Amino acid sequence: MSRVCELCGKGPIVVNSVIRRGKARAAGGVGRKVTGVSKTRQLPNLQSAIITKGGVGVRLRVCTKCLRNAYAA
């Protein structure tokens, strides 16, 4: 089962997870140092919802943004 919104097509994105150590210069330290960068996936917030299409209820996996827009209309 794919993690993609069935209305807008929003899917997972790849982002960098940056690990830092040290104390910030503004707080009296020598500055923050990057000690590691690893790639992580951010998944969309998908919910199962029953949406009426043409008078028939259809169960779809939609993101919360589409869920708000579908029930607002």
Side-chain angles (χ1 to χ4, degrees):
M1 188 180 295
S2 64
R3 295 183 184 269
V4 176
C5 176
E6 295 180 4
L7 291 181
C8 67
K10 180 188 289 187
I13 61 172
V14 177
V15 296
N16 284 333
S17 174
V18 181
I19 307 299
R20 293 182 176 95
R21 67 173 181 162
K23 190 172 181 181
R25 282 190 182 150
V30 295
R32 306 269 284 161
K33 308 294 191 295
V34 174
T35 60
V37 178
S38 61
K39 292 192 178 292
T40 61
R41 292 175 76 205
Q42 288 183 349
L43 302 175
N45 187 4
L46 297 180
Q47 305 293 325
S48 179
I50 299 174
I51 298 176
T52 305
K53 278 189 172 181
V56 177
V58 179
R59 176 174 282 148
L60 299 174
R61 290 185 66 189
V62 297
C63 63
T64 52
K65 192 169 186 178
C66 292
L67 191 61
R68 279 187 306 203
N69 293 338
Y71 284 124

